[in-house]
Amino acid sequence: MAEKITPRHVDYSRWYTDVVLQAKLADYSPVKGAMVIRPNGYAIWEMIQQNLDRMFKESGHVNAYFPLLIPESFMKKEAEHVEGFSPECAVVTIGGGQELEEPLYIRPTSETIIWSMYKKWIMSYRDLPILINQWANVLRWELRTRLFLRTSEFLWQEGHTAHATFEEAEEETMRILDIYKTFAEEYLAIPVIPGRKSEAEKFAGALHTYSIEAMMQDRKALQAGTSHNLGQNFAKAFDVKYQDKEGQLQYVWATSWGVSTRLIGAIIMTHADDNGLVLPPKIAQRQVVIVPIWRGDDEKKQVLEYADGIRQELKQEFNVILDDRDQYKPGFKFAEWELQGIPVRLEIGPKDLSKNGAVLVRRDLMKKEFIDRKGILETVRQTLNQMQKDMLERARKFQQDNTHDVDDYDKFKEIIAGEGGFIRSHWCGDPACEAKIKEDTKATIRNIPFDREEEKGKCIVCGKESNGRVIFAKAY
RNA sequence: CGGGGCGUAGCGCAGUCUGGUUAGCGCACCUGCCUUGGGAGCAGGGGGUCGGAGGUUCAAAUCCUCUCGCCCCGACCA
């Protein structure tokens, strides 16, 4: 605990790792590329799950669970899909000491196993839509991993829906992207840009991929969620047809969508500071910590009694911890809870007792403020609400301040190589221009924003006509 | 797979170049005292097959050979 976090301006990458390890969110595991999610980190995942799960269910989705192992032949049925995922799959070839007749892939994603089942379940238009989600782990043999942002095994949710028409599938794809956006902004306090992925960046096997893109504190982009319109690709690969009202056989239309434990990385890289994690109140399992301060046994007794009264009151609405550990001094406790990102700290000592109040410190502002004992529940409630709003607005301002409209390719290259950020530039739509930019600068098209304005312009690379700007950035 | 760095106590490291009593330091941990409004102090204590295997030597953490593993940076990706 005495270890200091590497400041962001010294080494952003080290800072990130320091925060994850020291806030006890995760730890390196004995298996290369895999991590252990520790209780502090898992608590964040549980909050993500609870809230998203509720939002999915409110929009008509249900949960199910499909197997971890997928027959090799399934993986090979959709051409683009197998090409995209095969190189990064782990494959089981031995079971019960015997060589298996058919190797089993550990799922990198579940489209294939799920659509093999949908074939059994879908007969008629009356069976549609199917709106299934699953919370699961998946495995991708990543070459270079980073805690939460990219690990070989990760936790996520994957939705897999089946529809009668393209329009319905497209609608579903958008509905989910909207849920992701709402969740990211209202709960995680991370402003995101929703849009469509270019052909080069879309999911292996999808017709269209949509994403929400967030900006991290180092001005790089992080894809925070994706929603795919899979068209009829998987229905055709797995021969899933339904009979419509007219008695005609039709291929089913599909979507899939997911967010992962990567969101925890996004929270850190959006909000955390050189003192550690800063959790948006709505995603913090513990919103309030009370640090009592005393001198001698008499004071200790009085202070703890008073502090416990406050805890009881706040407990009605919030998860509160009273840190009465004897072996640590207050300063140590301040630092430790700051590291873990608890949104609000109340310091309660003899001075506060005599003035009938407490000292409140918001984690994001780190300013001490005396508050009255009376109405403390309301004060804390308002503080947390305000903090949630402020965090989103602060992140939004940062994103806006680091987004540039650029019409000159040299300037484009200069910004990407220098300060970074999001660049809004015209693009003709040609994958060759996109590839050239990636080669020259390592920046990619993050997405084509839904809310972009129609605007005549010239492609930043080739100068051909363009109808609007797309977002370029270096990404995680 | 390419480039870089590193394996010595739970963590972070020194010692290795130049071989030599009992392998050392900081943090953490345990006991006691003392402390408590920003990461306290004092005293005592526990904890090591020096990543592994082989070799050279009177003697190896240190030299030689092989090997295993990890981290960071790049190409791929939620």
Side-chain angles (χ1 to χ4, degrees), chain A residues 254-265:
Chain A
T255 83
S256 72
W257 28 274
V259 298
S260 70
T261 35
R262 170 180 262 196
L263 287 178
I264 296 172

Side-chain angles (χ1 to χ4, degrees), chain A residues 44 72 134 141 232 239 282 294 300-301 303 352 379 457:
Chain A
I44 300 173
E72 182 176 48
Q134 88 166 344
W141 211 262
Q232 294 176 310
D239 191 35
K282 280 191 182 178
W294 65 78
K300 177 179 176 182
K301 188 161 174 285
V303 166
D352 309 293
T379 307

Side-chain angles (χ1 to χ4, degrees), chain A residues 1 11 14 112 120 253 273 277 284-285 296 343 349 386 403 422 443 453:
Chain A
M1 204 58 58
D11 185 339
R14 279 265 309 275
T112 56
K120 294 172 72 171
W253 296 84
D273 62 22
L277 189 61
Q285 237 173 35
Q386 192 59 44
T403 300
F422 287 180
E453 291 155 26

Side-chain angles (χ1 to χ4, degrees), chain A residues 119-320:
Chain A
K119 178 176 170 55
K120 294 172 72 171
W121 299 342
I122 298 170
M123 296 289 152
S124 140
Y125 72 93
R126 295 181 212 274
D127 297 323
L128 297 172
I130 293 183
L131 304 172
I132 285 181
N133 174 62
Q134 88 166 344
W135 292 94
N137 57 341
V138 287
L139 187 78
R140 299 177 187 178
W141 211 262
E142 299 290 350
L143 302 174
R144 223 171 90 48
T145 57
R146 290 192 70 183
L147 295 165
F148 288 114
L149 297 178
R150 188 176 307 108
T151 47
S152 48
E153 181 185 357
F154 58 90
L155 304 182
W156 75 349
Q157 58 71 214
E158 46 179 330
H160 296 273
T161 67
H163 305 268
T165 64
F166 169 85
E167 288 72 26
E168 262 185 51
E170 186 70 8
E171 209 176 285
E172 166 76 4
T173 315
M174 292 302 165
R175 181 180 304 119
I176 293 299
L177 200 73
D178 198 53
I179 287 176
Y180 287 162
K181 177 175 156 49
T182 303
F183 176 72
E185 297 188 340
E186 288 184 11
Y187 287 83
L188 309 182
I190 299 174
V192 294
I193 297 176
R196 183 165 58 84
K197 285 286 189 185
S198 67
E199 283 298 297
E201 298 282 331
K202 75 173 193 191
F203 177 78
L207 215 56
H208 300 302
T209 288
Y210 304 97
S211 73
I212 51 170
E213 301 285 332
M215 185 189 288
M216 303 296 102
Q217 290 178 40
D218 61 352
R219 302 178 186 83
K220 282 168 78 172
L222 185 83
Q223 181 174 301
T226 48
S227 184
H228 316 288
N229 186 334
L230 301 175
Q232 294 176 310
N233 292 344
F234 284 90
K236 284 177 179 163
F238 287 87
D239 191 35
V240 186
K241 291 179 203 162
Y242 73 96
Q243 204 167 14
D244 66 19
K245 282 181 190 165
E246 284 75 43
Q248 301 293 311
L249 282 180
Q250 305 274 3
Y251 282 113
V252 174
W253 296 84
T255 83
S256 72
W257 28 274
V259 298
S260 70
T261 35
R262 170 180 262 196
L263 287 178
I264 296 172
I267 295 168
I268 298 163
M269 288 203 297
T270 303
H271 301 301
D273 62 22
D274 290 347
N275 293 310
L277 189 61
V278 181
L279 282 172
K282 280 191 182 178
I283 220 70
Q285 237 173 35
R286 279 175 175 156
Q287 296 98 343
V288 183
V289 59
I290 299 174
V291 178
I293 299 153
W294 65 78
R295 215 184 290 264
D297 282 346
D298 286 349
E299 248 181 38
K300 177 179 176 182
K301 188 161 174 285
Q302 286 183 322
V303 166
L304 282 182
E305 213 176 276
Y306 179 76
D308 193 60
I310 292 178
R311 186 180 73 90
Q312 294 294 345
E313 184 171 339
L314 296 178
K315 219 174 75 175
Q316 300 167 42
E317 210 168 307
F318 303 107
N319 189 333
V320 187

